Amino acid sequence: YTQVSLRLAARIQEQDNQILTGAEVTGIRHHADSITVNTKQGDISAKQVINCGGLFSDRLARMGGAKPACKIVPFRGEYYVLKPAAEHLCKALIYPVPNPEFPFLGVHFTKMIHGGVECGPNAVWAFVREGYTKTRINIGDLLEAATYPGFRKMAFKYWKTGLKEMWRSFSKPAFVHELQRLIPEIKAADLEAAPAGVRAQALGPDGTLVDDFMIDESDRMINVLNAPSPAATSSLRIGSMITDLLARRIQ
Ligand SMILES: Cc1cc2nc3c(=O)[nH]c(=O)nc-3n(C[C@H](O)[C@H](O)[C@H](O)COP(=O)(O)OP(=O)(O)OC[C@H]3O[C@@H](n4cnc5c(N)ncnc54)[C@H](O)[C@@H]3O)c2cc1C
């Protein structure tokens, strides 16, 4: 996927377009016939803005004056990898039958293209939007989620599942037990901890975990508000859908 991203970046630059990285958006201002995005590397004016800010997409949409009918709640996905001596236990991609009630697949085994086998991810509520480790907490993010009616409704409905996920996050034997449903021979000693990712999960005000892509339009902005897995795999198709939307808006 890194290679896909690098190739896309190269093609954008080949056509004389600019990619600005590390330019945090801090404000969005509307004018009569344009929109200005304030970033830590200066202001950018445009006719239209596409917001694909992942974990911060709802905040960016609000910054731009939209009223998205959802809030992003971060769910950390933690992984282990199989130690080389145990890799023979996994000969293919192995997935559980998903529970249609949840947008998360459940832990699975992924044979990686450059070798190695990933085991995971679980889905644990992260106490901060960029909560890539268990110890990161941000009181503002925590309160924002906890005071959102949708979050409280979700927590009320799925508290048991949530607690089990947290338990599996802190207990390696519990995580291993879940993996053994797919490969019974796996033992804790076969696994070592690997870096985690954080899902940007849109949550509706009624507590619904949005499981489809959600793309919203507002004044001079297209907001990608929910792009869960497999949005990376589908990124080219989603991209062309967004450019179609954009073409219609600027006609
Ligand atoms: C654990 C895990 C496993 C996954 N597995 C798969 C998989 O197997 N297959 C698959 O297809 N998908 C998978 N996904 C999902 C995939 O990662 C997402 O669907 C995809 O990354 C969404 O792309 P995006 O561009 O919308 O958002 P992101 O990739 O999150 O990008 C958002 C970007 O916005 C930037 N940003 C945010 N706020 C600001 C700001 N204020 N100013 C400037 N920039 C900002 C961020 O820095 C980031 O670069 C997985 C995700 C996780 C967490």
PDB file of all heavy atoms in Angstrom, residues 79-82 90 108-112 116-120 194-195:
ATOM      1  N   TYR A  79      -2.112  -5.521  17.334  1.00  0.00           N
ATOM      2  CA  TYR A  79      -1.627  -6.699  16.599  1.00  0.00           C
ATOM      3  C   TYR A  79      -0.532  -7.426  17.357  1.00  0.00           C
ATOM      4  O   TYR A  79       0.219  -6.827  18.129  1.00  0.00           O
ATOM      5  CB  TYR A  79      -0.989  -6.266  15.269  1.00  0.00           C
ATOM      6  CG  TYR A  79      -1.944  -5.800  14.207  1.00  0.00           C
ATOM      7  CD1 TYR A  79      -2.270  -4.456  14.089  1.00  0.00           C
ATOM      8  CD2 TYR A  79      -2.488  -6.702  13.299  1.00  0.00           C
ATOM      9  CE1 TYR A  79      -3.127  -4.016  13.091  1.00  0.00           C
ATOM     10  CE2 TYR A  79      -3.338  -6.274  12.295  1.00  0.00           C
ATOM     11  CZ  TYR A  79      -3.658  -4.933  12.197  1.00  0.00           C
ATOM     12  OH  TYR A  79      -4.499  -4.498  11.212  1.00  0.00           O
ATOM     13  N   TYR A  80      -0.423  -8.697  17.060  1.00  0.00           N
ATOM     14  CA  TYR A  80       0.798  -9.448  17.324  1.00  0.00           C
ATOM     15  C   TYR A  80       1.307  -9.922  15.970  1.00  0.00           C
ATOM     16  O   TYR A  80       0.556  -9.888  14.983  1.00  0.00           O
ATOM     17  CB  TYR A  80       0.510 -10.676  18.203  1.00  0.00           C
ATOM     18  CG  TYR A  80       0.263 -10.326  19.655  1.00  0.00           C
ATOM     19  CD1 TYR A  80      -1.027 -10.047  20.119  1.00  0.00           C
ATOM     20  CD2 TYR A  80       1.317 -10.273  20.556  1.00  0.00           C
ATOM     21  CE1 TYR A  80      -1.250  -9.712  21.449  1.00  0.00           C
ATOM     22  CE2 TYR A  80       1.094  -9.944  21.899  1.00  0.00           C
ATOM     23  CZ  TYR A  80      -0.189  -9.665  22.332  1.00  0.00           C
ATOM     24  OH  TYR A  80      -0.406  -9.335  23.640  1.00  0.00           O
ATOM     25  N   VAL A  81       2.565 -10.355  15.924  1.00  0.00           N
ATOM     26  CA  VAL A  81       3.043 -11.055  14.721  1.00  0.00           C
ATOM     27  C   VAL A  81       3.528 -12.429  15.149  1.00  0.00           C
ATOM     28  O   VAL A  81       3.952 -12.620  16.296  1.00  0.00           O
ATOM     29  CB  VAL A  81       4.196 -10.300  14.000  1.00  0.00           C
ATOM     30  CG1 VAL A  81       3.684  -9.083  13.275  1.00  0.00           C
ATOM     31  CG2 VAL A  81       5.327  -9.937  14.948  1.00  0.00           C
ATOM     32  N   LEU A  82       3.455 -13.377  14.219  1.00  0.00           N
ATOM     33  CA  LEU A  82       3.976 -14.713  14.521  1.00  0.00           C
ATOM     34  C   LEU A  82       5.494 -14.666  14.488  1.00  0.00           C
ATOM     35  O   LEU A  82       6.080 -14.041  13.596  1.00  0.00           O
ATOM     36  CB  LEU A  82       3.498 -15.723  13.468  1.00  0.00           C
ATOM     37  CG  LEU A  82       2.065 -16.243  13.560  1.00  0.00           C
ATOM     38  CD1 LEU A  82       1.844 -17.326  12.503  1.00  0.00           C
ATOM     39  CD2 LEU A  82       1.762 -16.798  14.943  1.00  0.00           C
ATOM     40  N   CYS A  90       0.486 -20.734   9.643  1.00  0.00           N
ATOM     41  CA  CYS A  90      -0.484 -19.970   8.841  1.00  0.00           C
ATOM     42  C   CYS A  90      -0.086 -20.067   7.368  1.00  0.00           C
ATOM     43  O   CYS A  90       0.940 -19.519   6.963  1.00  0.00           O
ATOM     44  CB  CYS A  90      -0.497 -18.514   9.312  1.00  0.00           C
ATOM     45  SG  CYS A  90      -1.579 -17.489   8.320  1.00  0.00           S
ATOM     46  N   HIS A 108      -7.800 -11.756  12.926  1.00  0.00           N
ATOM     47  CA  HIS A 108      -7.573 -12.684  11.825  1.00  0.00           C
ATOM     48  C   HIS A 108      -6.073 -12.782  11.536  1.00  0.00           C
ATOM     49  O   HIS A 108      -5.278 -12.058  12.141  1.00  0.00           O
ATOM     50  CB  HIS A 108      -8.365 -12.257  10.582  1.00  0.00           C
ATOM     51  CG  HIS A 108      -8.209 -10.827  10.192  1.00  0.00           C
ATOM     52  ND1 HIS A 108      -9.006  -9.818  10.702  1.00  0.00           N
ATOM     53  CD2 HIS A 108      -7.339 -10.217   9.355  1.00  0.00           C
ATOM     54  CE1 HIS A 108      -8.637  -8.662  10.180  1.00  0.00           C
ATOM     55  NE2 HIS A 108      -7.620  -8.875   9.360  1.00  0.00           N
ATOM     56  N   PHE A 109      -5.719 -13.652  10.628  1.00  0.00           N
ATOM     57  CA  PHE A 109      -4.299 -13.851  10.280  1.00  0.00           C
ATOM     58  C   PHE A 109      -4.059 -13.328   8.868  1.00  0.00           C
ATOM     59  O   PHE A 109      -4.796 -13.674   7.944  1.00  0.00           O
ATOM     60  CB  PHE A 109      -3.945 -15.342  10.329  1.00  0.00           C
ATOM     61  CG  PHE A 109      -3.942 -15.901  11.720  1.00  0.00           C
ATOM     62  CD1 PHE A 109      -5.116 -16.368  12.295  1.00  0.00           C
ATOM     63  CD2 PHE A 109      -2.774 -15.953  12.474  1.00  0.00           C
ATOM     64  CE1 PHE A 109      -5.133 -16.879  13.583  1.00  0.00           C
ATOM     65  CE2 PHE A 109      -2.778 -16.462  13.766  1.00  0.00           C
ATOM     66  CZ  PHE A 109      -3.960 -16.925  14.320  1.00  0.00           C
ATOM     67  N   THR A 110      -3.043 -12.470   8.731  1.00  0.00           N
ATOM     68  CA  THR A 110      -2.724 -11.914   7.417  1.00  0.00           C
ATOM     69  C   THR A 110      -1.283 -12.243   7.061  1.00  0.00           C
ATOM     70  O   THR A 110      -0.352 -11.797   7.747  1.00  0.00           O
ATOM     71  CB  THR A 110      -2.906 -10.371   7.421  1.00  0.00           C
ATOM     72  OG1 THR A 110      -4.186 -10.062   7.977  1.00  0.00           O
ATOM     73  CG2 THR A 110      -2.812  -9.806   6.022  1.00  0.00           C
ATOM     74  N   LYS A 111      -1.121 -13.040   6.015  1.00  0.00           N
ATOM     75  CA  LYS A 111       0.241 -13.292   5.497  1.00  0.00           C
ATOM     76  C   LYS A 111       0.657 -12.051   4.724  1.00  0.00           C
ATOM     77  O   LYS A 111      -0.048 -11.642   3.799  1.00  0.00           O
ATOM     78  CB  LYS A 111       0.212 -14.506   4.560  1.00  0.00           C
ATOM     79  CG  LYS A 111       0.481 -15.825   5.257  1.00  0.00           C
ATOM     80  CD  LYS A 111       0.294 -16.976   4.295  1.00  0.00           C
ATOM     81  CE  LYS A 111       1.549 -17.253   3.504  1.00  0.00           C
ATOM     82  NZ  LYS A 111       2.512 -18.099   4.198  1.00  0.00           N
ATOM     83  N   MET A 112       1.767 -11.442   5.099  1.00  0.00           N
ATOM     84  CA  MET A 112       2.162 -10.178   4.486  1.00  0.00           C
ATOM     85  C   MET A 112       2.932 -10.411   3.187  1.00  0.00           C
ATOM     86  O   MET A 112       3.583 -11.449   3.014  1.00  0.00           O
ATOM     87  CB  MET A 112       3.008  -9.353   5.470  1.00  0.00           C
ATOM     88  CG  MET A 112       2.302  -9.082   6.790  1.00  0.00           C
ATOM     89  SD  MET A 112       0.691  -8.305   6.579  1.00  0.00           S
ATOM     90  CE  MET A 112       1.192  -6.653   6.120  1.00  0.00           C
ATOM     91  N   GLY A 116       6.181 -12.731   6.813  1.00  0.00           N
ATOM     92  CA  GLY A 116       5.642 -12.455   8.147  1.00  0.00           C
ATOM     93  C   GLY A 116       4.128 -12.636   8.169  1.00  0.00           C
ATOM     94  O   GLY A 116       3.476 -12.621   7.116  1.00  0.00           O
ATOM     95  N   VAL A 117       3.614 -12.835   9.376  1.00  0.00           N
ATOM     96  CA  VAL A 117       2.167 -13.037   9.530  1.00  0.00           C
ATOM     97  C   VAL A 117       1.659 -12.127  10.642  1.00  0.00           C
ATOM     98  O   VAL A 117       2.147 -12.180  11.777  1.00  0.00           O
ATOM     99  CB  VAL A 117       1.837 -14.508   9.894  1.00  0.00           C
ATOM    100  CG1 VAL A 117       0.338 -14.697  10.084  1.00  0.00           C
ATOM    101  CG2 VAL A 117       2.359 -15.461   8.830  1.00  0.00           C
ATOM    102  N   GLU A 118       0.698 -11.252  10.310  1.00  0.00           N
ATOM    103  CA  GLU A 118       0.078 -10.386  11.322  1.00  0.00           C
ATOM    104  C   GLU A 118      -1.114 -11.100  11.943  1.00  0.00           C
ATOM    105  O   GLU A 118      -1.879 -11.766  11.233  1.00  0.00           O
ATOM    106  CB  GLU A 118      -0.423  -9.091  10.672  1.00  0.00           C
ATOM    107  CG  GLU A 118       0.692  -8.124  10.357  1.00  0.00           C
ATOM    108  CD  GLU A 118       0.175  -6.791   9.842  1.00  0.00           C
ATOM    109  OE1 GLU A 118      -1.028  -6.699   9.499  1.00  0.00           O
ATOM    110  OE2 GLU A 118       0.976  -5.851   9.782  1.00  0.00           O
ATOM    111  N   CYS A 119      -1.272 -10.924  13.258  1.00  0.00           N
ATOM    112  CA  CYS A 119      -2.395 -11.544  13.968  1.00  0.00           C
ATOM    113  C   CYS A 119      -3.168 -10.425  14.663  1.00  0.00           C
ATOM    114  O   CYS A 119      -2.642  -9.773  15.550  1.00  0.00           O
ATOM    115  CB  CYS A 119      -1.902 -12.522  15.018  1.00  0.00           C
ATOM    116  SG  CYS A 119      -0.535 -13.555  14.482  1.00  0.00           S
ATOM    117  N   GLY A 120      -4.376 -10.182  14.266  1.00  0.00           N
ATOM    118  CA  GLY A 120      -5.180  -9.091  14.820  1.00  0.00           C
ATOM    119  C   GLY A 120      -5.968  -8.460  13.691  1.00  0.00           C
ATOM    120  O   GLY A 120      -6.067  -9.055  12.619  1.00  0.00           O
ATOM    121  N   ALA A 194       3.162  -6.166  18.137  1.00  0.00           N
ATOM    122  CA  ALA A 194       3.474  -5.366  16.941  1.00  0.00           C
ATOM    123  C   ALA A 194       2.745  -4.021  17.060  1.00  0.00           C
ATOM    124  O   ALA A 194       1.856  -3.867  17.899  1.00  0.00           O
ATOM    125  CB  ALA A 194       3.016  -6.128  15.703  1.00  0.00           C
ATOM    126  N   PRO A 195       3.112  -3.036  16.224  1.00  0.00           N
ATOM    127  CA  PRO A 195       2.456  -1.722  16.332  1.00  0.00           C
ATOM    128  C   PRO A 195       0.951  -1.785  16.047  1.00  0.00           C
ATOM    129  O   PRO A 195       0.492  -2.645  15.296  1.00  0.00           O
ATOM    130  CB  PRO A 195       3.159  -0.888  15.253  1.00  0.00           C
ATOM    131  CG  PRO A 195       4.435  -1.596  14.967  1.00  0.00           C
ATOM    132  CD  PRO A 195       4.181  -3.047  15.217  1.00  0.00           C
TER     133      PRO A 195
END
